[in-house]
Amino acid sequence: MEKWSAATIRDFRQTLLAWYDAKGRDLPWRHGRNPYHTWISEVMLQQTQVNTVIPYYEKFLATFPTVADLAAADEPTLLKVWQGLGYYSRARNLQRAAQQLMTDYHGEWPQTAAELEDLVGIGPYTASAIASIAFDQVVPAVDGNAFRVFARLLMIDADIAKPKTRQLFTQIIQPIVDPKRPGAFNQAIMDLGSSYMTAKNPDPEHSPVKAFDASYRAGRVLDFPVKTKKPRPKPMAYYGLVIHSPAGYLLAQRGANEMLTGYWTFPLILKETLQSDESTAPATVAEDIAEIERRWVAEFQLPLTLTSVGGRIVSHTYTHQRWQVTLLMADLPTARPLDFFPGKWVSAAEIADLPLPKVQEKMMQRFASQRDSRAFEKN
């Protein structure tokens, strides 16, 4: 690993911040040093691109301008505003932390990274980002960008997939952070990691910190950072039931122990739950349909005649799972009572008013495209 002298560190800070002052991104959450704004943006930016986040960020702040507004929000409104960003536990943790701020801190923000980590859902990176940007605490904000930038600059070969590596990087970067402008320093590293030092197709030749880049001099830029591969998401086969009646479409709200808690979807049935313990051969779609129809009569008193929607399977990938949803449909002549089914009839016009996960949007799009295709073929 490369080690920098005090003089090199001073030169690096000066070079980096001069570039940032001239070329740093003009982002809405960088207008001022409001910890609430920094917090919301950093949580939204987890797993999401900057250009995607900006309209969500602006809508979120328009709906919940202050921590107090977020703390008092009703969950359907919160989930609706968050809809499309995914990783929905982030939205719930935002609200829980806002309520914690109002209750335990009387609306006043803790000003150090260590104190900020006591808030629900705030980890070391987000705490350091808020503390440095809003309160000038001299701490490094170690995220994917910081891992990549400093692994290349210093040729650090520690595996960033291992939890203990974060502490190593924190210790290495801490003395490099500019003590007068720690927030600008951390944001400059973010901008550097998303421009000249991206994971793929970096441009070290034109990087403003090329002179400090040991991996570039060694011709080994793409060797860093070192990261072991994550296991592939587990495939999960579902049936999605598009059930229509004169009262609308049948939707179910995801439960507290399920992924996508609080969001609304067509009823989803995990295929593996349809097979008995004694069965050895995989069931056919026709056999699965027969079993679903039998169970819906027995459990919900809802007689169905299901047919395949056709077309491609709906696919959606989460961090650990890849959902593959086969759509089935049924038309009921009357709106059956839902005394035993945990859902409701929703008109087509009202579905969009509910908080919907991305997989539901994909199911609706696929169903609509197949329905239109069949109508065209009949004509």
Side-chain angles (χ1 to χ4, degrees), residues 238 252-256 258-265 268 323 357:
Y238 283 90
Q253 190 173 33
R254 303 286 291 178
E258 298 179 297
M259 286 179 60
L260 313 176
T261 301
Y263 282 81
W264 291 83
T265 69
L268 288 165
W323 288 16

PDB file of all heavy atoms in Angstrom, residues 238 252-256 258-265 268 323 357:
ATOM      1  N   TYR A 238     -43.290 -17.258  -8.418  1.00  0.00           N
ATOM      2  CA  TYR A 238     -44.596 -16.868  -7.888  1.00  0.00           C
ATOM      3  C   TYR A 238     -45.659 -16.980  -8.984  1.00  0.00           C
ATOM      4  O   TYR A 238     -45.367 -16.912 -10.185  1.00  0.00           O
ATOM      5  CB  TYR A 238     -44.588 -15.414  -7.413  1.00  0.00           C
ATOM      6  CG  TYR A 238     -43.926 -15.161  -6.089  1.00  0.00           C
ATOM      7  CD1 TYR A 238     -42.559 -14.867  -6.013  1.00  0.00           C
ATOM      8  CD2 TYR A 238     -44.651 -15.182  -4.899  1.00  0.00           C
ATOM      9  CE1 TYR A 238     -41.947 -14.617  -4.795  1.00  0.00           C
ATOM     10  CE2 TYR A 238     -44.057 -14.926  -3.686  1.00  0.00           C
ATOM     11  CZ  TYR A 238     -42.705 -14.648  -3.638  1.00  0.00           C
ATOM     12  OH  TYR A 238     -42.110 -14.401  -2.432  1.00  0.00           O
ATOM     13  N   ALA A 252     -54.066  -7.187  -2.561  1.00  0.00           N
ATOM     14  CA  ALA A 252     -53.749  -7.576  -1.190  1.00  0.00           C
ATOM     15  C   ALA A 252     -52.628  -6.691  -0.674  1.00  0.00           C
ATOM     16  O   ALA A 252     -51.720  -6.310  -1.433  1.00  0.00           O
ATOM     17  CB  ALA A 252     -53.325  -9.046  -1.135  1.00  0.00           C
ATOM     18  N   GLN A 253     -52.692  -6.357   0.608  1.00  0.00           N
ATOM     19  CA  GLN A 253     -51.625  -5.562   1.226  1.00  0.00           C
ATOM     20  C   GLN A 253     -50.601  -6.495   1.848  1.00  0.00           C
ATOM     21  O   GLN A 253     -50.951  -7.409   2.590  1.00  0.00           O
ATOM     22  CB  GLN A 253     -52.192  -4.620   2.277  1.00  0.00           C
ATOM     23  CG  GLN A 253     -51.185  -3.603   2.791  1.00  0.00           C
ATOM     24  CD  GLN A 253     -51.816  -2.582   3.714  1.00  0.00           C
ATOM     25  OE1 GLN A 253     -52.757  -2.872   4.449  1.00  0.00           O
ATOM     26  NE2 GLN A 253     -51.305  -1.353   3.678  1.00  0.00           N
ATOM     27  N   ARG A 254     -49.335  -6.262   1.553  1.00  0.00           N
ATOM     28  CA  ARG A 254     -48.266  -7.109   2.065  1.00  0.00           C
ATOM     29  C   ARG A 254     -48.171  -6.970   3.574  1.00  0.00           C
ATOM     30  O   ARG A 254     -48.225  -5.872   4.129  1.00  0.00           O
ATOM     31  CB  ARG A 254     -46.930  -6.742   1.426  1.00  0.00           C
ATOM     32  CG  ARG A 254     -46.927  -6.815  -0.109  1.00  0.00           C
ATOM     33  CD  ARG A 254     -46.921  -8.240  -0.616  1.00  0.00           C
ATOM     34  NE  ARG A 254     -45.637  -8.897  -0.330  1.00  0.00           N
ATOM     35  CZ  ARG A 254     -45.392 -10.160  -0.633  1.00  0.00           C
ATOM     36  NH1 ARG A 254     -46.333 -10.923  -1.193  1.00  0.00           N
ATOM     37  NH2 ARG A 254     -44.212 -10.691  -0.361  1.00  0.00           N
ATOM     38  N   GLY A 255     -48.007  -8.112   4.257  1.00  0.00           N
ATOM     39  CA  GLY A 255     -48.026  -8.148   5.704  1.00  0.00           C
ATOM     40  C   GLY A 255     -46.712  -7.748   6.358  1.00  0.00           C
ATOM     41  O   GLY A 255     -45.682  -7.562   5.695  1.00  0.00           O
ATOM     42  N   ALA A 256     -46.750  -7.643   7.687  1.00  0.00           N
ATOM     43  CA  ALA A 256     -45.598  -7.169   8.459  1.00  0.00           C
ATOM     44  C   ALA A 256     -44.410  -8.119   8.363  1.00  0.00           C
ATOM     45  O   ALA A 256     -43.264  -7.696   8.508  1.00  0.00           O
ATOM     46  CB  ALA A 256     -45.994  -6.986   9.918  1.00  0.00           C
ATOM     47  N   GLU A 258     -43.609  -9.903   5.663  1.00  0.00           N
ATOM     48  CA  GLU A 258     -43.307 -10.153   4.258  1.00  0.00           C
ATOM     49  C   GLU A 258     -42.440  -9.032   3.705  1.00  0.00           C
ATOM     50  O   GLU A 258     -42.424  -7.914   4.233  1.00  0.00           O
ATOM     51  CB  GLU A 258     -44.594 -10.230   3.437  1.00  0.00           C
ATOM     52  CG  GLU A 258     -45.539 -11.355   3.823  1.00  0.00           C
ATOM     53  CD  GLU A 258     -46.803 -11.336   2.979  1.00  0.00           C
ATOM     54  OE1 GLU A 258     -47.563 -10.351   3.047  1.00  0.00           O
ATOM     55  OE2 GLU A 258     -47.024 -12.311   2.253  1.00  0.00           O
ATOM     56  N   MET A 259     -41.726  -9.305   2.639  1.00  0.00           N
ATOM     57  CA  MET A 259     -41.084  -8.231   1.892  1.00  0.00           C
ATOM     58  C   MET A 259     -42.155  -7.284   1.360  1.00  0.00           C
ATOM     59  O   MET A 259     -43.288  -7.686   1.120  1.00  0.00           O
ATOM     60  CB  MET A 259     -40.274  -8.799   0.722  1.00  0.00           C
ATOM     61  CG  MET A 259     -38.978  -9.481   1.118  1.00  0.00           C
ATOM     62  SD  MET A 259     -38.089 -10.137  -0.329  1.00  0.00           S
ATOM     63  CE  MET A 259     -37.806  -8.656  -1.300  1.00  0.00           C
ATOM     64  N   LEU A 260     -41.793  -6.026   1.194  1.00  0.00           N
ATOM     65  CA  LEU A 260     -42.694  -4.992   0.662  1.00  0.00           C
ATOM     66  C   LEU A 260     -43.845  -4.708   1.619  1.00  0.00           C
ATOM     67  O   LEU A 260     -44.958  -4.387   1.202  1.00  0.00           O
ATOM     68  CB  LEU A 260     -43.244  -5.389  -0.719  1.00  0.00           C
ATOM     69  CG  LEU A 260     -42.237  -5.912  -1.738  1.00  0.00           C
ATOM     70  CD1 LEU A 260     -42.939  -6.343  -3.018  1.00  0.00           C
ATOM     71  CD2 LEU A 260     -41.187  -4.855  -2.042  1.00  0.00           C
ATOM     72  N   THR A 261     -43.584  -4.788   2.905  1.00  0.00           N
ATOM     73  CA  THR A 261     -44.620  -4.559   3.914  1.00  0.00           C
ATOM     74  C   THR A 261     -45.362  -3.251   3.668  1.00  0.00           C
ATOM     75  O   THR A 261     -44.759  -2.204   3.468  1.00  0.00           O
ATOM     76  CB  THR A 261     -43.983  -4.513   5.316  1.00  0.00           C
ATOM     77  OG1 THR A 261     -43.313  -5.749   5.557  1.00  0.00           O
ATOM     78  CG2 THR A 261     -45.027  -4.293   6.383  1.00  0.00           C
ATOM     79  N   GLY A 262     -46.699  -3.337   3.691  1.00  0.00           N
ATOM     80  CA  GLY A 262     -47.534  -2.149   3.555  1.00  0.00           C
ATOM     81  C   GLY A 262     -47.888  -1.781   2.130  1.00  0.00           C
ATOM     82  O   GLY A 262     -48.788  -0.965   1.903  1.00  0.00           O
ATOM     83  N   TYR A 263     -47.196  -2.364   1.157  1.00  0.00           N
ATOM     84  CA  TYR A 263     -47.500  -2.077  -0.248  1.00  0.00           C
ATOM     85  C   TYR A 263     -48.589  -3.026  -0.751  1.00  0.00           C
ATOM     86  O   TYR A 263     -48.824  -4.098  -0.190  1.00  0.00           O
ATOM     87  CB  TYR A 263     -46.239  -2.190  -1.106  1.00  0.00           C
ATOM     88  CG  TYR A 263     -45.352  -0.965  -0.975  1.00  0.00           C
ATOM     89  CD1 TYR A 263     -44.491  -0.825   0.090  1.00  0.00           C
ATOM     90  CD2 TYR A 263     -45.418   0.067  -1.901  1.00  0.00           C
ATOM     91  CE1 TYR A 263     -43.697   0.305   0.233  1.00  0.00           C
ATOM     92  CE2 TYR A 263     -44.632   1.195  -1.779  1.00  0.00           C
ATOM     93  CZ  TYR A 263     -43.780   1.312  -0.702  1.00  0.00           C
ATOM     94  OH  TYR A 263     -43.004   2.437  -0.572  1.00  0.00           O
ATOM     95  N   TRP A 264     -49.233  -2.615  -1.840  1.00  0.00           N
ATOM     96  CA  TRP A 264     -50.359  -3.365  -2.399  1.00  0.00           C
ATOM     97  C   TRP A 264     -49.952  -4.032  -3.705  1.00  0.00           C
ATOM     98  O   TRP A 264     -49.289  -3.423  -4.545  1.00  0.00           O
ATOM     99  CB  TRP A 264     -51.544  -2.430  -2.644  1.00  0.00           C
ATOM    100  CG  TRP A 264     -52.167  -1.928  -1.379  1.00  0.00           C
ATOM    101  CD1 TRP A 264     -51.744  -0.866  -0.624  1.00  0.00           C
ATOM    102  CD2 TRP A 264     -53.303  -2.473  -0.700  1.00  0.00           C
ATOM    103  NE1 TRP A 264     -52.545  -0.719   0.480  1.00  0.00           N
ATOM    104  CE2 TRP A 264     -53.524  -1.693   0.462  1.00  0.00           C
ATOM    105  CE3 TRP A 264     -54.168  -3.537  -0.957  1.00  0.00           C
ATOM    106  CZ2 TRP A 264     -54.560  -1.937   1.357  1.00  0.00           C
ATOM    107  CZ3 TRP A 264     -55.205  -3.787  -0.063  1.00  0.00           C
ATOM    108  CH2 TRP A 264     -55.390  -3.008   1.075  1.00  0.00           C
ATOM    109  N   THR A 265     -50.377  -5.282  -3.863  1.00  0.00           N
ATOM    110  CA  THR A 265     -50.079  -6.035  -5.085  1.00  0.00           C
ATOM    111  C   THR A 265     -51.265  -6.923  -5.439  1.00  0.00           C
ATOM    112  O   THR A 265     -52.157  -7.151  -4.615  1.00  0.00           O
ATOM    113  CB  THR A 265     -48.852  -6.960  -4.914  1.00  0.00           C
ATOM    114  OG1 THR A 265     -49.178  -8.018  -4.012  1.00  0.00           O
ATOM    115  CG2 THR A 265     -47.634  -6.208  -4.404  1.00  0.00           C
ATOM    116  N   LEU A 268     -50.179 -12.726  -4.534  1.00  0.00           N
ATOM    117  CA  LEU A 268     -48.985 -13.456  -4.963  1.00  0.00           C
ATOM    118  C   LEU A 268     -48.899 -14.774  -4.207  1.00  0.00           C
ATOM    119  O   LEU A 268     -49.040 -14.802  -2.981  1.00  0.00           O
ATOM    120  CB  LEU A 268     -47.730 -12.629  -4.703  1.00  0.00           C
ATOM    121  CG  LEU A 268     -47.528 -11.412  -5.613  1.00  0.00           C
ATOM    122  CD1 LEU A 268     -46.469 -10.484  -5.037  1.00  0.00           C
ATOM    123  CD2 LEU A 268     -47.138 -11.854  -7.018  1.00  0.00           C
ATOM    124  N   TRP A 323     -37.463 -12.451  -8.205  1.00  0.00           N
ATOM    125  CA  TRP A 323     -38.845 -12.898  -8.334  1.00  0.00           C
ATOM    126  C   TRP A 323     -39.173 -13.135  -9.798  1.00  0.00           C
ATOM    127  O   TRP A 323     -38.871 -12.306 -10.662  1.00  0.00           O
ATOM    128  CB  TRP A 323     -39.799 -11.855  -7.761  1.00  0.00           C
ATOM    129  CG  TRP A 323     -39.781 -11.769  -6.266  1.00  0.00           C
ATOM    130  CD1 TRP A 323     -38.829 -12.266  -5.428  1.00  0.00           C
ATOM    131  CD2 TRP A 323     -40.766 -11.143  -5.440  1.00  0.00           C
ATOM    132  NE1 TRP A 323     -39.151 -11.987  -4.126  1.00  0.00           N
ATOM    133  CE2 TRP A 323     -40.334 -11.304  -4.098  1.00  0.00           C
ATOM    134  CE3 TRP A 323     -41.950 -10.475  -5.694  1.00  0.00           C
ATOM    135  CZ2 TRP A 323     -41.063 -10.797  -3.027  1.00  0.00           C
ATOM    136  CZ3 TRP A 323     -42.679  -9.962  -4.622  1.00  0.00           C
ATOM    137  CH2 TRP A 323     -42.242 -10.130  -3.307  1.00  0.00           C
ATOM    138  N   PRO A 357     -45.391  -1.402  -5.162  1.00  0.00           N
ATOM    139  CA  PRO A 357     -43.982  -1.693  -5.433  1.00  0.00           C
ATOM    140  C   PRO A 357     -43.746  -1.848  -6.928  1.00  0.00           C
ATOM    141  O   PRO A 357     -44.685  -2.010  -7.711  1.00  0.00           O
ATOM    142  CB  PRO A 357     -43.746  -3.011  -4.696  1.00  0.00           C
ATOM    143  CG  PRO A 357     -45.077  -3.690  -4.739  1.00  0.00           C
ATOM    144  CD  PRO A 357     -46.101  -2.590  -4.640  1.00  0.00           C
TER     145      PRO A 357
END
